[in-house]
Each structure stands twice: as structure tokens, then as C-alpha cells.
Amino acid sequence: MITTKAELDSVTKVKCAQPHDILGMHPHKTKDGKKCLLVRAYLDDAKSCEVVDVAKPEGARYPLKKISKDGFFEGLIEDRKDVFRYRLRIERFNGEIRQFFDPYRFLPTISDDDLYLISEGTDTRVHHKMGSHLREVDGVQGASFAVWAPNAQRVSVVGDFNHWNGRYHPMRRIGNSGVWELFIPGLESGMKYKFEIATAQGIPQLKTDPYATFFEAPPHNASIICEVDDYEWGDAAWIKRREKTNWMEEPISVYELHAGSWKLVVEDANRPLTYREMAKELVDYVKEMGYTHVEFMPLSEHPFDGSWGYQVTGFFAPTHRFGSPKDFMYLVDILHQKGIGVIMDWVPAHFPTDSFALAQFDGTALYEHADPRQGFHHDWGTLIFNFGRDEVRGFLIASALAWLERYHIDGLRVDAVASMLYLDYSREEGEWIPNKHGGRENLEAIEFLKKTNVLAHELFPGTLMIAEESTAFPGVTKPVKDGGLGFDMKWNMGWMHDTLQYFSKDPIYRKYEHGQLSFGMLYQYSEHFTQVFSHDEVVHGKGSMIMKMPGEPMSNKAHQLRLLYALMWLWPGKKTLFMGSDFGQSAEWKYNASLDWHLLEYIDHRGIQMLIRDLNHFYRKMPAVAKLDNEEAGFEWINCTDGDNSVLSFLRKGKKKTDGIVAVGNFTPVRREGYRVGVPHAGFWKEVINTDAKDYGGQGYGNCGGIEAEAIEWDGRPYSIKLDVPPFAMCAFRLKA
């Protein structure tokens, strides 16, 4: 036996970190100094094995000797000195003959330069190197695998191609990088795999691929080899237009949805629509309703439906629930071709404790902090990323960029930013560790967010980065070069809370809370905001949007909800509204049930939907409402102090006087006839919005299409209009050119 016992044991007892040093073909010298070749292979279910020279016309064969019962073969090729291309030809115990290229004859698929950038956390294309990739190496088709597990004793690729046996495809550790690599010839798309990682104590554990692009369904959750870089896109015109668009001066009206509960196929066991089915039904709906963008709640792979996608285990993979990665690409492609942008919720703040995924990945706290005061999130029972670790930061940045690159996503709404910014977020005294300056800010997370935003904008112009940030952290939407975090927009949580609190009041008491309607203007221009009523407002006992409105009957609630939505659309800032809320769904949202589309049979609900449709189209056509969304020059109060009548009036301004919109809202059930409002110009003011229109389910009160301004000074303005302001209604007027 040529192989030493130590070498044999390291392979057969699965302790080898450098299998390529033993297995494969190597130059060798016999005891008498003669140069030859030594070939060794460790093969599952092999009765015999031969080396086949693929360059020889007859395929010259060289038999190997089996020296262990579990399939370790070795042999000398004494008449050859130079390593050559070969296959292994085996006969299995059932008589089957197989011939394949030896995985241990190939050089690494990751270069030293790659490893340097990966270790630095600066490789923006690391997702093209780590994980599994179908590729051709030295003229041979197969799949390469790479995984970061610096504290592992040994790592193997296991899958349905080797009976999930970690003994037969051990990977090699490359230098001190902590990266393990292996190229396996003959593997194809659709094959399942995991990594079997032996901890420093030698305990094997099965882990899914952190960089995988496709997964099987729970409970097995295996990664799946999947080619994702050869989809033929048809959205070049959209991407080109997006790159040149200043979205801060364009209308943005976002339809937020949960793909699994938007609409179910009743006749097929109430299953959700597939990505490709959504490419028809969802696209048609969004187009008709006039939204500019859709925002998907997280579509990254996740094991538990009840997490709504916010506990991610596959940061590079669209969930299998609705189809393949290419099916998702098709959905995005069609949305783009129809002129609709695509935003997706992205969750870099935390990850679940599931043992098959990132938690204790190589037997140590690798992606998370070891200290629970830094690494465990009590609110969600999840683990917090170690943003100070270069490889972890590089992993997360690559995740963001991969969605923008591979799937042509137009924007990422970053979830739970506040929990990333503060070390003491949702923690009591003594439950957190201060930063190096003794402060509560998570300096590493802040730098990570800045870097991600800068790279997203540099590499993918026109991309929108949106923060869900619920505190007053300064400069969230200020450019990084000016000391900010670099987001484009921030959800306006303060305005949402104040406004909903106001609307929850019985109208008889609203005059005492009138300041809540105007308070938001004190900070409206401190950030670039999107006004938002999201999924968070219609779950966990909070009631649906329409059921938040006080009073009965349902028509009374519908009047108030239409008023609220008109206020939102006419208020400065972009718009985001959750599915179902745009037709006044009565029940709270349920992640495992369809929206109540049947409610559209009733005018109260259909009217709300029609108003949202008209507001969207109005917003997109009116320069005053969108172009100056983020500039103080685009807004003026007309009267924000008339609490006695609970009437609010303001002016949205444009570049020209005919761009201006006068908005007047009546927040009580009392009709205000003869109500005078100051306007800046003489002329005919056309009524362009009236939420009390009969088409919307209202009573039809209003101003007969418009009214001529009178030279009567009012509200500090030289002209005024005398209005009939319907109960629970918003009316908007535009100066006729």
C-alpha cells in the first residue's frame, strides 16, 4: 500500500481539510527513484475502478487497487510521468458501469485575488463565486461549490448525487481564507445539495448554502443547483429610462403586497398565484389602478410562512413558493415592460435561529455575535448580524446587489433599520454593550448601511433605497457624502401614527385634536418621506383601515377613509399603501387567506378603490403634486387652525400658477356650506377631486365642477372661493388655464 495509514484515515474517517493533496492524480517517485503517477480515489458503491486516458483513441485504462472496503482506491501508472486528463471508470456492485471526471483533478475555481476581496468584504460580485455555480472547467461541465466556514474541521458537499454521504465529496480549504471549494463534474441544474460541516470538535452538521439561488420546500430545505444568469430580459427600455430618472421629482405611488395572500386560486385548493400568474393578474390590476411601483413583502427564501418572509434563510433566492428564480424574473420583466417599478423588502437586520441555516454556521457564532447582548434580538427571537465582520458585511452587501443585478429589482425597502442603528434597541439597562466611544449607536451597522446605499446607487443608477426607520435618527435620507445614511426615502411613521390617532377620535372631539393634522408639517422636509399605511397597520388586533374609522354604518366609515386617502395623496411626499386597504377590506390582513375581493360588489368598497385609482392617475398627471414633493417651496398652509369647524386647507404649488392645487378637507359629518377659503389667484378654480362624489359612494355634495374666485381677501390672500364642503370629504381645486 502506497498511501500511509494517516492519509487513509484522514480521508476515510472524514477528517481531511486538503483532500486534493491525497486524492486525484499526482507525480510520484517509486522507492527506486523512478518517476511515475499516483492516482487515488475514494468512491461510494464501487466494486472496481480504472483510470481512463481521455486523450487516447482507445481510452487507455489503468486499474486501481481497492485498499479499503468503503471504496478507497490507489494505483501507480508507471509508464507515465506527466499528469493527463482522465476519467474514472467504475463498476458498481449491481453491475452498473459509470465513467466520470475526477473532482480532485481540477484547480480551484476561486483565485487568490477573489479570496483577498472576499476576506476584505469588498467583492461586490462575491455571489458569482461563492455558493454553487454551473460552469465549465478545463472543458468539463459541472458545478463548483464554495462556502465560508473558517472554524470548520472539514466540509463536504452532500446531495442526491452522493446519497447525502459526507465522506465522498470533501472540499479543500483554501489557504487561511476560511473558504472551502470543490468542483464536481457532471452535476446539473435541479440537483439538491447541502454542506456537511464538521465543527472544530468534529461534530457534523448539515447546512444550506448561504449563497444558494433556489431552495426546496420545508422541512428538508435543501439548496438546489440553479442557473440564474442566462435569462433573456426584455426590459432594456425601462432600465435605460430608470437610470435617467430623478425619482424625487417624479410621482411614486407604491402598492405594497404579500404575494402569498394577494389572491388565491379557489378551484386549486386555495393555492396562491405563481409568479407567472401574477405577471398577468397582478400586472393588470396595478396598471389599471395607476400605481407606479409594486412593493413585495420579502420574497427571499424563508422556512416559516407565519414570519411573512421577514425571517430569511436564503438571502440570494426568491422563495420557491411561487415558482423558480426565472419565473420571478419573468414577473419583474413583465412589470417593467408595462412601466411598473418593482421594490422588494430586504431584511439585513437579523436572521432566524433555524439550525439548517446561518446560525452557528461552522459551529461558532460566524454570521452573528457570540454575546447575546449584541447578537440576539429579544423581540423576534432572532440573531443579529455581526456588521463589524468583513465577510459578513460583504455577504449582506452582495445580497442587496444581487437582487438589483440578477432580478432587475428597482429598489429595496430595508426592514427594521431602527433596530440596526441602536445597540440598545428594545433592550433594558445592562442588556447591551456600548460602542467604542461609549455610545448607543451601532457604528458598524451604520457604516454597512452607508456602503450598501452608495454601491447600489453607483452600480445601478435609478435604484431606490427606502428605510423603514421609526426614530428621529438624523440624516437618514441625506447623501453619505454629506454625513447621512444615503437612503432615497424613509417611511413617514410619525405622520401615519398622528393621522390615524386623529381619525380614531369621535368627530365630536376632533376639534380638540386639530393640531395632530398639521403637526407633521413641522418635520415633513427633514427627510425625503413616503407617506405610508402598510401591512403593519392592519394586523395584530389593530383593525383594518376602514374599521379604524369611528361610527356606523359602513358607509360612514367609507366616507372617512376616502377623506384620509385624499389627504395622504395631496400631502407632500410619495405614497405607499398596502393591498386590500385600497378597497377598504373590512377584516384584518391574514397571511394565509386571500383578500376579500368579493367586497367590490358593494359601493362603499368599490368607491374607495375607484378613488385610489383616480388619485393615482391625478397624482401622475399633476406637476404640483409630485415635482415638489420634497421641497418646502411646494407647500403652503391656507388655514391649519380652524379647529372649531375641523376644516383643514392648504396649497400645493408648482412652477406655474396653474400647477397649484388648493385642498380643503372637512373632518366632521357636518356639511360646511358657504365656507370661504383664500386662494392666491383670480380665475375659475376647477374642482378636480371630490371624495363625496356619488361614483365613490358619496352623497354628491360639491361645487358643480368649480367656482370663480372673488376679489375678497381671506386667509391672508387677495382672492377667495366660497365653497360647499361636503361632510367627511376632501375637495381639491386647480386654477383653469
Side-chain angles (χ1 to χ4, degrees), residues 499-546:
T499 306
L500 287 182
Q501 189 176 37
Y502 175 87
F503 270 84
S504 70
K505 304 289 184 183
D506 187 305
I508 197 170
Y509 301 116
R510 285 180 178 171
K511 65 180 181 179
Y512 305 112
E513 310 291 341
H514 195 67
Q516 283 189 302
L517 289 177
S518 58
F519 180 74
M521 194 49 62
L522 294 177
Y523 57 83
Q524 179 66 36
Y525 298 102
S526 63
E527 301 280 5
H528 293 167
F529 284 118
T530 174
Q531 314 307 110
V532 58
F533 294 122
S534 74
H535 65 276
D536 279 329
E537 308 320 312
V538 293
V539 289
H540 300 321
K542 296 178 184 177
S544 66
M545 288 297 293
I546 197 167

Side-chain angles (χ1 to χ4, degrees), residues 624-672:
V625 183
K627 196 168 185 66
L628 298 180
D629 263 336
N630 293 294
E631 296 184 29
E632 293 185 51
F635 180 91
E636 283 184 16
W637 285 117
I638 295 175
N639 189 334
C640 64
T641 61
D642 190 6
D644 288 340
N645 289 303
S646 294
V647 174
L648 192 74
S649 55
F650 56 86
L651 176 68
R652 292 296 307 276
K653 298 191 298 182
K655 301 294 184 182
K656 303 179 296 183
K657 68 179 184 179
T658 52
D659 289 338
I661 304 294
V662 168
V664 184
N666 177 7
F667 297 84
T668 71
V670 179
R671 182 181 175 187
R672 306 296 180 186

Side-chain angles (χ1 to χ4, degrees), residues 579-642:
M579 66 179 195
S581 297
D582 62 349
F583 61 78
Q585 171 151 315
S586 304
E588 286 191 349
W589 169 61
K590 297 177 182 178
Y591 73 89
N592 55 359
S594 174
L595 295 180
D596 294 332
W597 294 100
H598 64 276
L599 292 177
L600 290 172
E601 298 174 12
Y602 305 99
I603 184 59
D604 287 334
H605 300 278
R606 188 170 67 252
I608 294 169
Q609 184 191 55
M610 292 172 66
L611 174 68
I612 294 294
R613 178 199 63 191
D614 292 349
L615 286 171
N616 276 332
H617 288 290
F618 173 78
Y619 179 44
R620 298 179 74 161
K621 292 176 183 176
M622 291 299 298
V625 183
K627 196 168 185 66
L628 298 180
D629 263 336
N630 293 294
E631 296 184 29
E632 293 185 51
F635 180 91
E636 283 184 16
W637 285 117
I638 295 175
N639 189 334
C640 64
T641 61
D642 190 6

Side-chain angles (χ1 to χ4, degrees), residues 78 176 573 720:
E78 297 183 354
N176 296 318
S720 59

Side-chain angles (χ1 to χ4, degrees), residues 257-260 262-263 272-286 296 299 321-323 328 330-331 334-335:
L257 73 144
H258 176 259
W262 182 70
K263 187 177 288 188
L273 298 179
T274 66
Y275 292 128
R276 289 185 178 267
E277 288 169 336
M278 279 186 264
K280 176 66 172 68
E281 296 201 37
L282 175 62
V283 170
D284 287 348
Y285 182 78
V286 172
F296 291 102
L299 289 176
R321 290 166 174 81
F322 317 115
F328 178 59
Y330 178 79
L331 170 59
I334 297 301
L335 282 161

Side-chain angles (χ1 to χ4, degrees), residues 292-356:
T292 63
H293 292 72
V294 296
E295 178 186 323
F296 291 102
M297 291 170 66
L299 289 176
S300 302
E301 192 56 84
H302 53 282
F304 178 45
D305 290 351
S307 76
W308 312 339
Y310 288 100
Q311 295 197 5
V312 176
T313 53
F315 284 81
F316 294 81
T319 179
H320 70 280
R321 290 166 174 81
F322 317 115
S324 70
K326 288 184 180 177
D327 293 333
F328 178 59
M329 292 176 183
Y330 178 79
L331 170 59
V332 176
D333 201 2
I334 297 301
L335 282 161
H336 284 172
Q337 292 179 39
K338 297 295 184 180
I340 301 165
V342 182
I343 298 166
M344 194 186 79
D345 282 11
W346 181 57
V347 192
H350 60 117
F351 60 95
T353 59
D354 297 71
S355 61
F356 68 84

